Structures are given as C-alpha cells and as structure tokens.
Amino acid sequence: MVFPIVAYGHPVLRKVAKDISADYTGLPKLIEDMWETMYASAGVGLAAPQINKDIRLFVVDTAQMFANMKDEEKKEYPDDPGVKAVFINARINELDGEEWAYNEGCLSIPKIREDISRLETVTLQYRDENFESHKKTFNGLSARVILHEYDHIEGKLFIDHVPLLKRKLMKGKLNDISKGKVTVDYKMLFPG
C-alpha cells in the first residue's frame, strides 16, 4: 500500500519518534509499504514520520542512486554500490570526517532543494527488519541519506541545516507547501 507523504507543517514531522519493540503490530507489512511508498514517490529514503507514524523506523536505498550514475561519477563516492537497508530504533554512536555539501531534497518538502553540509561518516546502532542488532559505520552518499532520515526520527528537517536568512527567504514556499499549494506526482497529506 502506498501511503501519502506528510507535508511540511504537519506536527508529526517535528516530534521525536518513539522506539518500537519486535512485536510492533504489523511491522513486516509496514516496512513493505514504506519501500513501496518510497519507490512510488521516487525517493531514496523514507522515515516513518513522513507517513504519519511517530516511530523510530526508516528505510534507505542508495543502491539506486549508484545504479543511475556514470562510472566516473561513482569514483567521487566511497560507498559505491550503496546500501539498501531498514533501520529500527537507530541511535548515532559517532559522527566523523570532514563536512561536505550536497544538494538535498525531501519528499515532505517538495520543490525545494538546498546544499546541506554533513559529516562524511556516521556510526549507528540499530535493528534491522528481523530485529537483529547492528553497529555499522556508513560513509559517502549512504551516510548522507541515513543522516537525513535520522533527522526525521529526531523531529528535524533538512531545512534546519540551512542558514536563517535563507530559511526566511523560503518562508513563502514553505507556507504554500503546508497549505497544499504544491503539485507533485505522489499523494500527500497536508496539515490542518
């Protein structure tokens, strides 16, 4: 089932999400639906708050980013061929490396893209779709997408990383999104 994507301005996007247990009702189906929703929306990551669920769950597929790159471009990123994974109850253990900028967008904030600086590597403790525990380090584009989705389960958005003046200049566009004055080719759930 494809869920509508929660639009900017909806309170769920600003909540710190809750941990879940292995017996969370309908978890396998929810994960399957999140993959389906992410692909239907042409996303590379999707967090549960974006489908109106305040739980610490997100999915990431950076493998599709690399699949669409030329060989020369792939050399710029250390994480080729990417990662496809489910992250449950994720917690950051360590952030490391140099900051680097990359143009990010978000399904919840359509039509707005900004260069966002993030650190190169992230080490996370998390559970997978089988509720097995992992501690792994990610880098490159995979680290970036993971950090973007991790922000969602912490009640943050990528625009929070944008300088205040630039955010003020976006205010009109952001207000339009929260009022439903935006056209996208996927279903959205608007606040109010």
Side-chain angles (χ1 to χ4, degrees):
M1 181 179 105
V2 175
F3 286 100
I5 302 289
V6 172
Y8 174 81
H10 194 292
V12 74
L13 294 176
R14 290 303 189 181
K15 284 177 83 172
V16 175
K18 301 181 296 247
D19 280 347
I20 60 171
S21 58
D23 59 359
Y24 184 84
T25 308
L27 184 60
K29 174 78 171 116
L30 176 61
I31 292 169
E32 184 186 314
D33 291 345
M34 283 181 69
W35 285 122
E36 194 180 341
T37 301
M38 184 190 82
Y39 292 126
S41 315
V44 293
L46 184 70
Q50 292 181 278
I51 57 163
N52 205 13
K53 303 210 178 294
D54 64 343
I55 57 173
R56 296 184 80 82
L57 165 63
F58 60 88
V59 296
V60 167
D61 181 2
T62 56
Q64 61 177 336
M65 295 171 84
F66 286 101
N68 296 320
M69 272 185 209
K70 292 183 171 60
D71 287 343
E72 276 307 300
E73 198 181 352
K74 287 179 186 178
K75 290 178 187 161
E76 293 177 38
Y77 305 105
D79 56 317
D80 179 21
V83 68
K84 180 178 175 180
V86 174
F87 296 83
I88 299 170
N89 300 341
R91 293 283 187 283
I92 290 177
N93 288 103
E94 190 180 351
L95 288 165
D96 203 12
E98 300 290 312
E99 279 206 354
W100 64 293
Y102 188 84
N103 196 259
E104 290 187 26
C106 180
L107 296 173
S108 294
I109 311 173
K111 311 269 199 247
I112 294 180
R113 297 192 67 86
E114 286 295 329
D115 287 343
I116 304 298
S117 286
R118 296 188 189 268
L119 290 171
E120 287 173 309
T121 66
V122 58
T123 303
L124 286 176
Q125 195 110 23
Y126 67 96
R127 294 188 176 274
D128 64 19
E129 62 276 19
N130 302 312
F131 239 77
E132 288 172 18
S133 188
H134 298 271
K135 183 180 178 182
K136 274 191 184 167
T137 301
F138 300 90
N139 61 11
L141 288 174
S142 299
R144 173 166 299 274
V145 174
I146 287 166
L147 286 169
H148 178 110
E149 300 310 326
Y150 187 87
D151 275 356
H152 277 299
I153 63 171
E154 289 292 323
K156 296 181 191 144
L157 298 167
F158 85 100
I159 56 171
D160 298 345
H161 297 277
V162 173
L164 191 58
L165 178 63
K166 219 170 199 182
R167 262 207 315 272
K168 282 184 177 166
L169 295 172
M170 282 180 203
K171 199 160 178 52
K173 282 184 185 174
L174 292 170
N175 286 340
D176 283 351
I177 292 167
S178 63
K179 290 175 187 158
K181 295 180 184 172
V182 66
T183 309
V184 292
D185 52 8
Y186 51 88
K187 288 191 298 189
M188 290 198 82
L189 173 67
F190 297 98

